[in-house]
Amino acid sequence: MLFTHFVFVQIKTKIIFYTHSIAKYLKKIDEPIIIVHGGGSFGHYWSVKYDMHTKPMKYNTHGVSVVKNSMIELNKIILDAFLKNKLNPYCLPPTDFMSRGNPITHKVKEIEKIASTGLIPITFGDALWYGNKKTYILSGDKIMTYLSKILRPRLSIFALNEDGLYSDLKSKKLIHELKRENPIISKNNMDVTGGMTRKIEEAIKISKMGIDVFFVNGNKPERIVKAVKNRKFEGTVFRGKRNGWRISCFSR
């Protein structure tokens, strides 16, 4: 138990450091932003421990509570980091715009209105009530697709722990742009929300809506700003068609 506590202290420390780093760079973006964050090592540990998945089922009730609490704790860390960097975060639990596994269109459209005021809506993957004594895990990646379909942002950015997609993992040769190709990658059975596989699947769906999707290294947040400002950057682009909306969805 002491070891587990020590590991989570390390994880929490890293999250605080990188969130502050990202927040500092987001201040350089002068257009509305919507933030979506997943659970990372924070929430996925408990999801695996209590065998919770994205399929609505009757899961262990204590496990549901633990997973949900871990995501609220992570969200609080992110909100605090944004506030300390003089940003204006607006906590937006997915229960505000989701019902029985589906987005509520008019509620999602309110998110755009919130973002247009200078507030930064921050929502997150979570353990949600489905009905009939069932719960499920809604991933941050899935939220990105829901928001993109309804709001049609100018672009969507996925911040990763890698530079982007690699054509070869050994040499780490980066794929700079994908147009119609569907990359094939191996599954990660330790991530109940699908890991990189789910991110790629959702990125392809979003790009088919005509929206450019960027995979960038979140540990190098200056690349996020370069992607938003259409400058040359290191990462992978799923190419869509340009549109007129001035709003960016950003997932970490």
Side-chain angles (χ1 to χ4, degrees):
M1 234 12 223
L2 288 174
F3 174 73
T4 303
H5 175 70
F6 175 69
V7 170
F8 274 94
V9 167
Q10 285 187 314
I11 291 171
K12 187 174 180 178
T13 302
K14 285 184 178 181
I15 289 171
I16 292 171
F17 174 80
Y18 286 118
T19 304
H20 275 279
S21 180
I22 289 173
K24 287 177 183 177
Y25 277 91
L26 291 183
K27 291 173 71 175
K28 300 180 180 182
I29 298 173
D30 57 357
E31 64 182 279
I33 306 171
I34 297 170
I35 305 288
V36 182
H37 71 80
S41 302
F42 218 79
H44 290 159
Y45 171 86
W46 299 113
S47 301
V48 172
K49 180 178 174 65
Y50 290 101
D51 198 25
M52 288 191 68
H53 301 273
T54 54
K55 182 180 179 180
M57 291 180 65
K58 294 179 181 178
Y59 296 108
N60 179 287
T61 52
H62 183 68
V64 173
S65 295
V66 171
V67 172
K68 194 166 192 67
N69 187 64
S70 71
M71 291 309 301
I72 291 171
E73 185 180 354
L74 174 57
N75 184 250
K76 183 65 165 59
I77 292 171
I78 293 170
L79 292 172
D80 287 343
F82 274 52
L83 284 171
K84 287 179 180 178
N85 283 280
K86 308 300 181 183
L87 291 169
N88 304 312
Y90 183 88
C91 179
L92 195 74
T95 47
D96 282 10
F97 57 87
M98 294 291 300
S99 177
R100 293 184 66 85
N102 293 300
I104 305 167
T105 301
H106 74 277
K107 293 284 189 180
V108 172
K109 288 182 177 179
E110 285 296 315
I111 301 174
E112 180 189 347
K113 294 177 183 177
I114 294 169
S116 68
T117 67
L119 292 169
I120 302 176
I122 301 182
T123 190
F124 49 93
D126 200 3
L128 297 186
W129 174 256
Y130 184 81
N132 299 322
K133 299 182 180 180
K134 295 179 181 179
T135 53
Y136 70 105
I137 290 181
L138 173 66
S139 72
D141 300 326
K142 198 71 180 174
I143 293 175
M144 287 288 283
T145 301
Y146 289 149
L147 298 186
S148 295
K149 185 176 182 180
I150 296 171
L151 299 180
R152 300 286 171 163
R154 184 171 69 84
L155 52 85
S156 291
I157 299 173
F158 287 75
L160 316 172
N161 289 323
E162 299 288 344
D163 289 335
L165 291 185
Y166 302 122
S167 59
D168 181 79
L169 285 174
K170 290 184 178 179
S171 65
K172 290 203 170 185
K173 184 179 179 181
L174 193 64
I175 300 172
H176 292 283
E177 184 170 333
L178 286 164
K179 291 184 178 178
R180 295 184 179 179
E181 307 93 329
N182 289 347
I184 299 172
I185 66 169
S186 59
K187 298 270 186 179
N188 177 6
N189 294 326
M190 288 305 292
D191 187 341
V192 299
T193 61
M196 184 63 83
T197 302
R198 172 59 62 82
K199 285 176 172 54
I200 292 173
E201 289 173 350
E202 301 305 329
I204 290 171
K205 290 177 186 176
I206 295 169
S207 66
K208 286 181 178 178
M209 300 173 196
I211 300 165
D212 284 352
V213 183
F214 296 79
F215 277 16
V216 303
N217 194 327
N219 300 322
K220 300 174 182 178
E222 68 277 6
R223 295 182 182 178
I224 296 170
V225 178
K226 288 180 179 179
V228 170
K229 296 190 175 183
N230 200 26
R231 296 173 183 168
K232 186 176 180 181
F233 78 105
E234 192 79 357
T236 301
V237 181
F238 293 74
R239 189 64 68 187
K241 294 180 180 178
R242 294 288 181 186
N243 56 50
W245 287 86
R246 294 293 296 173
I247 189 168
S248 303
C249 285
F250 164 61
S251 174
R252 173 60 168 157

